Amino acid sequence: MTQSITKPTRKIRHLENGDHLTRLEFETRYQQMPHVKKAELIEGIVYMGSPLRINKHGAPHANIMGWLGFYSAYTNGVQLGDNCTVRLDPENEPQPDALLRIEKGGQSTISEDGYVEGAPELVVEIAASKVSIDLHDKFKAYRRNQVQEYLVWRVEDDEFDSFRLKEEKYIKLQPDEKGIIKSEVYPGLWLDINALLRGDLATVLEVLQQGIATPEHQNFVIQLSKSRDNS
């Protein structure tokens, strides 16, 4: 009787910082590492998450999520994501700290296996400083893939950058005379920068409520409802 020969199973290598991979290779390895909470592919290079300090990341991240969560609660038709994997292109699969996407008729879709595909309209990253990857390679990847608004909180610099995509370039948005940045993509999404930087979430939400009460926001919600009805 002829014995069958069993071929050895190919071992899949784990992700390592600095690996140069395709998106498919990255996903295959990432799926074999369920203990890893954050890994990103940026311009074809793997970046692994490191332990996060509460004052440098945890608390700022929580305040951003509180701000966006309040907005999404009053804006039916948008979806808020916290550290979701986003399939941008063959060389970029980031896991932004926060994203806000239009569910029906927006730039992105949800794949059959549950991932965001394409560019969300808004992305927020919590960065250490201006030398962070968030303001270099990620900046280029988000711009090239048409993320319409990109917000970066530079915690160590005590600065907040807000960029709007116009004619294939990111233009830095300036706050108004009251220090408020108003989204050009999401009507009513107002942010009091100074209140955010000093950790005053109550004032941040108070200003946001003013934006949500505007006719522009009400009209936006109506437009979103029509998009859902037509889909």
Side-chain angles (χ1 to χ4, degrees), residues 15-21 26 30 36-50 91-95 131-134 136-138:
L15 290 175
E16 298 288 348
N17 262 317
D19 281 347
H20 289 247
L21 303 173
F26 171 76
Y30 200 176
V36 175
K37 301 304 180 186
K38 185 163 187 174
E40 301 179 286
L41 186 70
I42 307 298
E43 303 290 51
I45 300 175
V46 174
Y47 293 87
M48 305 283 285
S50 58
E91 293 186 325
N92 288 282
E93 190 166 305
Q95 199 171 319
V131 299
S132 168
I133 183 178
D134 299 292
H136 293 275
D137 285 348
K138 269 191 186 179

Side-chain angles (χ1 to χ4, degrees), residues 14-222:
H14 284 177
L15 290 175
E16 298 288 348
N17 262 317
D19 281 347
H20 289 247
L21 303 173
T22 65
R23 198 180 75 190
L24 178 58
E25 291 170 329
F26 171 76
E27 286 190 8
T28 301
R29 295 190 188 186
Y30 200 176
Q31 289 168 2
Q32 302 300 312
M33 304 173 67
H35 60 284
V36 175
K37 301 304 180 186
K38 185 163 187 174
E40 301 179 286
L41 186 70
I42 307 298
E43 303 290 51
I45 300 175
V46 174
Y47 293 87
M48 305 283 285
S50 58
L52 301 174
R53 296 176 174 84
I54 188 166
N55 290 333
K56 298 296 185 181
H57 192 280
H61 179 91
N63 284 345
I64 287 293
M65 294 307 298
W67 171 61
L68 290 176
F70 194 97
Y71 181 81
S72 65
Y74 288 90
T75 315
N76 197 13
V78 304
Q79 184 177 36
L80 173 62
D82 180 349
N83 272 298
C84 306
T85 294
V86 178
R87 292 169 172 161
L88 279 180
D89 63 32
E91 293 186 325
N92 288 282
E93 190 166 305
Q95 199 171 319
D97 289 311
L99 65 83
L100 197 65
R101 58 180 294 273
I102 295 174
E103 292 186 287
K104 300 294 182 181
Q107 297 187 148
S108 62
T109 59
I110 304 298
S111 66
E112 290 185 1
D113 54 351
Y115 292 103
V116 177
E117 292 190 340
E121 283 72 25
L122 182 144
V123 165
V124 185
E125 297 281 11
I126 310 299
S129 68
K130 64 182 179 181
V131 299
S132 168
I133 183 178
D134 299 292
L135 285 168
H136 293 275
D137 285 348
K138 269 191 186 179
F139 183 96
K140 296 174 186 176
Y142 287 145
R143 180 187 63 199
R144 188 171 64 249
N145 284 281
Q146 306 288 304
V147 171
Q148 295 298 305
E149 290 188 329
Y150 181 37
L151 313 182
V152 183
W153 187 346
R154 294 186 279 123
V155 179
E156 291 185 0
D157 297 337
D158 200 28
E159 295 285 348
F160 193 96
D161 301 315
S162 179
F163 300 98
R164 173 73 167 100
L165 188 68
K166 294 183 178 180
E167 298 181 352
E168 308 298 322
K169 296 181 180 179
Y170 271 146
I171 306 300
K172 192 169 182 179
L173 294 179
Q174 299 299 325
D176 64 14
E177 65 280 359
K178 295 182 179 179
I180 299 171
I181 287 181
K182 299 177 179 180
S183 171
E184 295 183 0
V185 176
Y186 290 102
L189 185 60
W190 293 5
L191 180 60
D192 186 323
I193 297 297
N194 292 327
L196 182 72
L197 293 177
R198 66 175 182 265
D200 183 0
L201 186 58
T203 298
V204 169
L205 297 182
E206 181 181 337
V207 169
L208 177 57
Q209 283 181 303
Q210 296 171 17
I212 289 173
T214 60
E216 290 80 9
H217 178 263
Q218 295 167 19
N219 291 335
F220 182 53
V221 172
I222 293 172

